[in-house]
Each structure stands twice: as C-alpha cells, then as structure tokens.
Amino acid sequence: MATKLTKKASNFFVWVILGLLLVALAGFGVTSFTGGASVVGRVGSAEITAEDYFRAIDNEIREQSALRGEPVRFVDLQAAGTDAQIRNLLIARAALLSEAREMGLSVGDETIAEQIRAIPNFRAADGFNREAYEFELARSGLTPAEFETDIREDTTRSLLQVAVISGVAAPGLLAETLTAVQTERRDFSIVRIAENQLDAELSAPDADDLQSYYDENGDDFARPSVRQITYAWVTPEMIMDDMEIDEATLRRLYDQRADLYVRPERRLVERLVFPDAEAADAARAALDAGETDFNALVEARGLSLDDIDLGDARREDLTEAAAAAVFADDADEIVGPVDSAFGPALFRINAVLAATEVSFEDALPDLRAELAVDAARRTIAQEREPIEDALAGGATLEDLPGETLMVLGNIDFSDESDDGIAAYDNFRDAASDVQDGDFPEALELSDGGLFALRLDGVIPETVPPLAEIEDEVAVSWEDAALRDALEARAQDLLSEIATLGASFEDQGLEAQIETGIGRQDFIPGAPPSLVPLVFDLESVGDMAVVPGSGEALIVRLDAIQSGNVNDPEVAAMLDRVQQQVNQSVAQDLFEGFGQAMEAEVGLTLNQQVINAVHISFP
C-alpha cells in the first residue's frame, strides 16, 4: 500500500516535501532554540517541538524581510496574526502525522535517500556529497538521524494528504455557471433626470428641517479624533537662505553644466540612408517629380520613422557635407542626397531650434538654491547628534529652539491633516504611533530634515453643535432633498412609461445607449451602483431607478448576451475557473479532514513554551 501511494504522490507533492524542507532547514546557520527538548504542543501521537516552531517563525521572518526589502520583526508578525497561522500549520501537519501513524503508513529508506540526494545543498559536481550533507546539517543544529526522521515524517504526511484530496473535482456545471456569470454582457439604455426636470423648485430648509436632519444624521458631521502634538523641526528649506555659498563654487557648477546653459543651434532631423548614390539620386528624383513622398520612401526601405529619427542634431553630430546642407540658411524641408556616416542619405528637417544661452547671472538663483539645499542638509545632519544629546540630557522640545536650529510648533493632528509638517509621511507615521509619556527622539524627514514630537493629549471624535455647523448641515440637507426629489420624479416617469407601454422616445426622453457591458465594467459619469443593478434585472425590458449625485437615472435592460463557449478567451476562463473550484473544494475537504482528526485525537498546547519561543526573537 505504501509503495503505491508513494509513487502516486511523488510528482504531485514534490512541492510539499521541498516546502517542509525549507522549514526544517530555514536559514542554515541559525542556532538551535532548545535542542528540541521542549514541546509546544501535541496532536495525538505527534509532537510539535519548540525547535519546529522557532524555525517556522524564523523562516517566515526571513521571507517577509526579503519580500518587503526591509527588516521584519517578530512583533510585526504578531500584529498581523501570522504567529497563529504558523501554529495552525504545524498543528495540521502534526494531525496528519498522527493519523498516518495510526493507519500504518510509512516510507522506506530508499525513498528517503532519493529525497535527500535531490537536495542541491547536499550535492557536488559528481553527485551527492556526504561531507556537505553532514556539514550543512551541523550548521542548522541537526544530526543526520533527526533530519532523516523529518524527511520520513514529511513524506508520510504527504501520502495521507494525497489520499484525502486525490481525484477531488467539483461538478463541471458549477464552473460553467460561474464562467457564464462572468462572461455575460448586457445592453441597456439610460435616461438622466436633472433638477430642471422637476415639477417645482425645492424650498430652502427652515430651522425645524435642519434640527430634524441634524438629529438623524449627526454622525455624518462628526469631527475625527485629534491628537494634540507639540513638535520641533528643521528642514533644509528653513535654513537654506542662511547658507553661505562662495562665487567660485557657483562658477564651477555653472561650468560643469555648460551643455545645459549654452546650447548651439539644433535641428530636428530624420536621416534616410540608401545603399548607394544611384539609389539615393533615384529617390530624390522621384520626390522632385511628385511621384512619391518621404514617408513612402522610408516604408519602401523597410524602416519606420523611429528608425531614422536623429532627434535634435547639432552640426558636430553630422558629417561635414550633411551639416552644410542641413544647417544652410535656405535649407528646404528635405535636403540631399549628401554623404552621411553610413552612406548617401536624404535628410528631412522637421524643426529649427535656435541657439540659446543662459548667462551665469541668470542661472545664479537656481545654482545657489541647489547648493544651498545641499549645504543645509549637511548642516542638519551635523546637528542630529547635538539634538539627540540635548534630548537625552533632559531637554524638552521647548528648549530645542534655543539650543539648536529647530523651530517649535503645535498641531491638532488627525487622519485628515496634510499641511505643513503633516505633509511628511515620516511625521504622519510617528504622530499616529506616539503615546503619552513616550520619550522624544530625533527622527528624519524625507527631505533631509529632522523632527521630534510629544503627545500632549487626545480629543475624541465629536459632533459639533448644530449652531456651529448650520451652513454645513443646510448644504447636506439640500443635497439629500434634491436626491429624494429626483428619485421620486424618476419613479413617476418610470411608472408612466410602464403603465402606457411607451418608450423613452414617446415620453420625450433622450436615452444614452450602452452595449456589450460586463459585470466589472464602469460607465463614466454614472453611479458605481448602476452596472450591478443592471445585472440584477431579470428580463429584457425591465427598468429601474438609480439615484445619483445631482441626478437620477432610469435604466432599461435592452439585451442579454451570454458568453460564447467557442470563444478561445471564454474557454480559457472556463478552464481557469474549473481549476480554482477544484482547488477550493480540495482545500475545504482537507481542512475538514484535519479538524476532524484534531477533534478525535485531541490537541494540547503549552503556552509557556510558546511564550519562551516568542521572547527569543528581538
């Protein structure tokens, strides 16, 4: 039995074995947590060791760090609930192993040897290397016996896993139905009802209207929670005017950028090269006779305009003969043929760019600003250590302006704050995280500035009194009243059309026609709810009203177009959906199987050992 199952699983579950090997060998060189003596938990006869748990977490930290491009801490995983997911994975593996043992499933030494010999880390140029094998295992804190036991258990688990989900497939009708839903297209007509189509003008709200609306919708006017923050900061822009930049430095920068400030005359040119002078002369003659044009000559040479474009060419970019022709004062749009670096060519001149020169005096403001900003950044960088020393020595934020270049400020910070220092993401993150009593520290801004902050208090979310926001409430009331009136008018028109059996045109209504619209499509200028509502209509001719901003829409379903299974794109989608449905069913079945096994044999966890593993991470 085991032999047959092993052959069946060998290809399908190679990824399972390799994935588990990565956990077992997560980052060679990691010191063993406890030598495997402590046990995190048990499922039936299978144990989850502290070593297993430590390596699984360490592997996840390494993978997340590589993915994000920055260090990831264990507390970050905890905040995302990843530690619980890791434990659940280990519990599922243990449940599989326990059940496999009960069923008597196992694999032979030959299978284990094949798995080990296939691991690249253990191979040399001439094949499996025993010394490399033992060396790599020693670096990871494992003995060959422990590692081979892990391989045997992983393979045994895969046997049971393949037995549970092998051959699982969802009914084809399910995938066909889902594909049909996704590929269906609909045609429909839209009539827009605007304020000028109302029977009467809307009246202004009185005091009772506003009070009633405020009472019912007060939460809509809530002011967000505000964090009252004191901060000290300095940016390069604040101090750049105080930076002294000598003229010699400015001159050097100007000279280094002479190509930007002093530019000779240039011409936007295309160059069409011919194999010989005879071909070039023939092309020129055809042009002069009006028998062809330049674009046709380019196409006849098997080229595109991009292939012959020289951009903005200077005299020195061309041969002497070509420069004389292209830069002649009386040059035509097309000149040549003349000799180019690649042979006889015709040149088309598309534009003339006059010579330009920006004097040192004119460039001076920009040059000085650039150098001053750089100097300001360096000055701020030198200030960081004194600022940190001052804070460590007990200085308050209020003390910093007198001792450093920093300026004091206050802000009522919320998620909506985006002015001044709140425009910096670094400050926003720090302002959101700072807690009462936190020690101020010098932090960087994206432009090279520095800041430090302190939380002074938190004002909870509040709804201002009506008297303070009466104008705001009035505008909202008017918007809601208009929305209701437009929707009511649209409903009346829809009822009239349905009662009379008339068309939009019969009622003098201009319709916007949309065809071939799918479920995921969006109609510009229409409410997002329009397309989903259209697909809720059951029959051609059905109508509905869609409330919108400043208008209401009447929509009528005109046609339903089912997806064509003979369409290659639809057929490919059907295959993808069938695979996804099969995988989903198999996953659900496997999870249910694991939960049943866990319930049958029992699960125990040792929270003290779990905590001990957690605190081993920085």
Side-chain angles (χ1 to χ4, degrees), residues 186 188-192 512 514 517-519 521-537 544-548 551-557:
R186 294 195 170 194
F188 52 91
S189 301
I190 302 170
V191 169
R192 298 176 182 270
Q512 171 185 335
E514 299 290 344
I517 303 301
R519 291 178 182 271
D521 292 339
F522 175 76
I523 307 300
S529 59
L530 172 63
V531 173
L533 185 144
V534 168
F535 277 87
D536 285 340
L537 298 178
V545 171
V546 185
E551 63 179 0
L553 279 59
I554 302 175
V555 60
R556 180 187 64 208
L557 180 59

Side-chain angles (χ1 to χ4, degrees), residues 599-616:
E600 180 179 348
V601 301
L603 165 68
T604 58
L605 293 175
N606 189 327
Q607 192 61 48
Q608 289 184 338
V609 176
I610 292 173
N611 293 340
V613 173
H614 289 178
I615 63 176
S616 67

Side-chain angles (χ1 to χ4, degrees), residues 64-79:
Q64 292 278 356
S65 298
L67 183 64
R68 301 183 191 181
E70 60 183 12
V72 173
R73 301 171 300 166
F74 174 69
V75 291
D76 299 324
L77 296 188
Q78 271 192 314

Side-chain angles (χ1 to χ4, degrees), residues 65 183 222 249 285 288 295 343 377 395 434 447 500 514 521 541 562 583 602:
S65 298
T183 57
T249 303
D288 293 340
N295 287 355
R377 289 195 183 104
V434 65
D447 61 358
L500 298 174
E514 299 290 344
D521 292 339
S562 300
Q583 292 171 0

